[in-house]
Amino acid sequence: MNISTSMIVLIAVIGLFGVGLYCLLITRNLIRLLVGLQIMVKGAMLVLVFVGQSQGQPSLGQSMALTVIVADTIVAVVGLALAVQVKRNVGTLDIADISKLKR
Amino acid sequence: MWHFIILVGILFCAYQAVRDKRLLVSAIWLAGTSALVAIMMYLIGAYQIAVIELSVGAGLVTVLFVFAINIAGDEPIPNLSFIPKWLARIFTVMAILLIGWQLLPLLDFPINLNQDAGFQQLVWENRKADLYLQVVMIFAGVISMLRLLTDEYQTRILHKEVQE
């Protein structure tokens, strides 16, 4: 392993974060928002593992990544359940239409 | 060489997951991203987390997405965002530069493949608060899953019973 591997992992982290953020900014579909969020979290997980490995504390990085995996999965489950209920009750997944409910 | 191929695969799958108009295909691309991230984790020495990410991220979450998309349906939503796309691109580039600037010092540290034997001790003994929190989160997920599986008919019956 050398410096180029570190650079490749960091490019992956930055790329995942950028793609996820762009998805969150431009999409209006509730389920696709969750897809963007998942992509961003994968970048966060990768950087946690990478920092643990590079700083000589792999167990700490991996245990934190484990917590992030559990939290991310639960966020996906709760978000998808909300999306299904919104679709049943409102009839759409468009967040522009859902936000009109507050008026 | 393998790292570079996987990097290209990760970025391609993530981009396709965002770009594809069909939600179901998007979920499959997301599963591909998860699998490649798991391989990347394996290559940098995080073997246990790689296996967990492969089974949970690429397996369980994908099944949940496919299930929810089948229930909710894949409706066509106009390709209009709340903010203009050029502004979203500027924000994204700025965020990437900021993250890159923060992560740049890490390039000085090479990845160490040596494993310490303390992963299980750290998870089960030193980070008990996190462990309890994870148990609570899993319960929340199970309750949400039950809610997801409850169909509209049962919900109406429940509402009628409550009103009576």
Side-chain angles (χ1 to χ4, degrees), chain A residues 53-78:
Chain A
Q53 297 293 122
S54 61
Q55 302 292 317
Q57 290 182 313
S59 297
L60 186 61
Q62 289 183 37
S63 65
M64 294 190 79
L66 178 67
T67 307
V68 173
I69 287 175
V70 173
D72 180 41
T73 307
I74 303 307
V75 165
V77 172
V78 174

Short mmCIF file of all heavy atoms in Angstrom, two decimals, chain A residues 53-78:
data_model
loop_
_atom_site.label_atom_id
_atom_site.label_comp_id
_atom_site.label_asym_id
_atom_site.label_seq_id
_atom_site.Cartn_x
_atom_site.Cartn_y
_atom_site.Cartn_z
N GLN A 53 -7.68 3.14 9.55
CA GLN A 53 -6.55 2.35 9.04
C GLN A 53 -5.27 3.18 8.98
O GLN A 53 -4.19 2.70 9.31
CB GLN A 53 -6.87 1.83 7.64
CG GLN A 53 -8.04 0.88 7.57
CD GLN A 53 -7.79 -0.44 8.28
OE1 GLN A 53 -8.52 -0.80 9.18
NE2 GLN A 53 -6.76 -1.15 7.89
N SER A 54 -5.40 4.43 8.55
CA SER A 54 -4.18 5.23 8.34
C SER A 54 -3.61 5.80 9.64
O SER A 54 -2.43 6.11 9.70
CB SER A 54 -4.46 6.36 7.35
OG SER A 54 -5.45 7.21 7.87
N GLN A 55 -4.45 5.93 10.68
CA GLN A 55 -3.97 6.49 11.93
C GLN A 55 -3.56 5.41 12.94
O GLN A 55 -3.29 5.70 14.09
CB GLN A 55 -5.04 7.38 12.58
CG GLN A 55 -5.49 8.54 11.73
CD GLN A 55 -4.40 9.57 11.53
OE1 GLN A 55 -3.69 9.91 12.46
NE2 GLN A 55 -4.24 10.05 10.30
N GLY A 56 -3.57 4.16 12.51
CA GLY A 56 -3.14 3.08 13.39
C GLY A 56 -4.18 2.64 14.40
O GLY A 56 -3.85 1.97 15.37
N GLN A 57 -5.44 3.02 14.19
CA GLN A 57 -6.53 2.60 15.08
C GLN A 57 -7.66 1.98 14.26
O GLN A 57 -8.78 2.52 14.19
CB GLN A 57 -7.07 3.78 15.89
CG GLN A 57 -6.10 4.29 16.93
CD GLN A 57 -6.69 5.43 17.72
OE1 GLN A 57 -7.25 6.36 17.16
NE2 GLN A 57 -6.59 5.36 19.02
N PRO A 58 -7.38 0.86 13.60
CA PRO A 58 -8.40 0.28 12.71
C PRO A 58 -9.67 -0.14 13.44
O PRO A 58 -10.77 -0.01 12.91
CB PRO A 58 -7.68 -0.93 12.10
CG PRO A 58 -6.54 -1.21 12.98
CD PRO A 58 -6.15 0.07 13.61
N SER A 59 -9.54 -0.61 14.68
CA SER A 59 -10.73 -1.07 15.41
C SER A 59 -11.69 0.08 15.68
O SER A 59 -12.91 -0.08 15.55
CB SER A 59 -10.33 -1.71 16.73
OG SER A 59 -9.56 -2.84 16.49
N LEU A 60 -11.13 1.23 16.05
CA LEU A 60 -11.99 2.38 16.35
C LEU A 60 -12.73 2.83 15.10
O LEU A 60 -13.95 3.06 15.12
CB LEU A 60 -11.13 3.52 16.92
CG LEU A 60 -11.89 4.74 17.41
CD1 LEU A 60 -12.83 4.36 18.53
CD2 LEU A 60 -10.93 5.81 17.88
N GLY A 61 -12.01 2.95 13.99
CA GLY A 61 -12.64 3.36 12.74
C GLY A 61 -13.72 2.39 12.30
O GLY A 61 -14.81 2.78 11.89
N GLN A 62 -13.42 1.09 12.43
CA GLN A 62 -14.38 0.09 11.99
C GLN A 62 -15.61 0.04 12.90
O GLN A 62 -16.73 -0.16 12.43
CB GLN A 62 -13.71 -1.28 11.94
CG GLN A 62 -12.71 -1.40 10.81
CD GLN A 62 -12.10 -2.78 10.73
OE1 GLN A 62 -12.77 -3.76 10.97
NE2 GLN A 62 -10.83 -2.84 10.39
N SER A 63 -15.39 0.23 14.21
CA SER A 63 -16.56 0.20 15.11
C SER A 63 -17.46 1.41 14.86
O SER A 63 -18.69 1.30 14.94
CB SER A 63 -16.11 0.15 16.57
OG SER A 63 -15.44 1.33 16.90
N MET A 64 -16.85 2.56 14.54
CA MET A 64 -17.68 3.72 14.22
C MET A 64 -18.41 3.52 12.89
O MET A 64 -19.57 3.92 12.74
CB MET A 64 -16.83 4.98 14.19
CG MET A 64 -16.28 5.32 15.56
SD MET A 64 -15.51 6.91 15.64
CE MET A 64 -16.94 7.95 15.78
N ALA A 65 -17.73 2.89 11.95
CA ALA A 65 -18.38 2.60 10.67
C ALA A 65 -19.55 1.64 10.86
O ALA A 65 -20.58 1.75 10.19
CB ALA A 65 -17.37 2.02 9.68
N LEU A 66 -19.40 0.72 11.80
CA LEU A 66 -20.50 -0.22 12.11
C LEU A 66 -21.73 0.54 12.62
O LEU A 66 -22.86 0.27 12.19
CB LEU A 66 -20.03 -1.24 13.15
CG LEU A 66 -21.05 -2.26 13.61
CD1 LEU A 66 -21.40 -3.19 12.48
CD2 LEU A 66 -20.52 -3.06 14.79
N THR A 67 -21.48 1.50 13.52
CA THR A 67 -22.59 2.32 14.02
C THR A 67 -23.26 3.08 12.87
O THR A 67 -24.49 3.17 12.80
CB THR A 67 -22.07 3.32 15.07
OG1 THR A 67 -21.35 2.59 16.06
CG2 THR A 67 -23.20 4.06 15.72
N VAL A 68 -22.43 3.62 11.98
CA VAL A 68 -22.98 4.37 10.85
C VAL A 68 -23.81 3.46 9.94
O VAL A 68 -24.88 3.85 9.45
CB VAL A 68 -21.85 5.06 10.06
CG1 VAL A 68 -22.38 5.70 8.79
CG2 VAL A 68 -21.17 6.10 10.91
N ILE A 69 -23.35 2.21 9.74
CA ILE A 69 -24.11 1.27 8.90
C ILE A 69 -25.48 1.00 9.50
O ILE A 69 -26.51 1.05 8.80
CB ILE A 69 -23.32 -0.05 8.73
CG1 ILE A 69 -22.13 0.15 7.80
CG2 ILE A 69 -24.22 -1.15 8.17
CD1 ILE A 69 -21.24 -1.06 7.68
N VAL A 70 -25.51 0.76 10.82
CA VAL A 70 -26.80 0.50 11.49
C VAL A 70 -27.71 1.73 11.37
O VAL A 70 -28.89 1.61 10.97
CB VAL A 70 -26.58 0.12 12.96
CG1 VAL A 70 -27.91 0.00 13.69
CG2 VAL A 70 -25.83 -1.20 13.06
N ALA A 71 -27.16 2.91 11.68
CA ALA A 71 -27.98 4.13 11.63
C ALA A 71 -28.47 4.38 10.21
O ALA A 71 -29.65 4.74 10.00
CB ALA A 71 -27.16 5.31 12.13
N ASP A 72 -27.61 4.16 9.24
CA ASP A 72 -27.98 4.40 7.84
C ASP A 72 -29.10 3.46 7.40
O ASP A 72 -30.03 3.87 6.71
CB ASP A 72 -26.72 4.18 7.00
CG ASP A 72 -26.98 4.38 5.53
OD1 ASP A 72 -27.70 5.34 5.22
OD2 ASP A 72 -26.47 3.61 4.72
N THR A 73 -29.01 2.21 7.84
CA THR A 73 -30.05 1.25 7.47
C THR A 73 -31.39 1.64 8.08
O THR A 73 -32.43 1.58 7.43
CB THR A 73 -29.64 -0.16 7.95
OG1 THR A 73 -28.34 -0.44 7.46
CG2 THR A 73 -30.61 -1.20 7.44
N ILE A 74 -31.35 2.06 9.35
CA ILE A 74 -32.61 2.45 10.00
C ILE A 74 -33.19 3.70 9.36
O ILE A 74 -34.41 3.82 9.19
CB ILE A 74 -32.38 2.67 11.52
CG1 ILE A 74 -31.80 1.40 12.15
CG2 ILE A 74 -33.67 3.05 12.22
CD1 ILE A 74 -32.58 0.15 11.91
N VAL A 75 -32.31 4.64 8.98
CA VAL A 75 -32.79 5.84 8.28
C VAL A 75 -33.48 5.43 6.98
O VAL A 75 -34.56 5.94 6.63
CB VAL A 75 -31.62 6.81 8.00
CG1 VAL A 75 -32.01 7.86 6.98
CG2 VAL A 75 -31.19 7.49 9.28
N ALA A 76 -32.89 4.48 6.27
CA ALA A 76 -33.51 4.01 5.02
C ALA A 76 -34.86 3.36 5.28
O ALA A 76 -35.84 3.63 4.57
CB ALA A 76 -32.57 3.02 4.32
N VAL A 77 -34.93 2.52 6.33
CA VAL A 77 -36.20 1.84 6.64
C VAL A 77 -37.28 2.85 7.01
O VAL A 77 -38.40 2.82 6.46
CB VAL A 77 -35.99 0.83 7.80
CG1 VAL A 77 -37.32 0.28 8.26
CG2 VAL A 77 -35.09 -0.30 7.37
N VAL A 78 -36.95 3.77 7.93
CA VAL A 78 -37.95 4.76 8.36
C VAL A 78 -38.34 5.67 7.19
O VAL A 78 -39.52 5.97 6.98
CB VAL A 78 -37.40 5.59 9.55
CG1 VAL A 78 -38.35 6.70 9.91
CG2 VAL A 78 -37.17 4.70 10.75
#
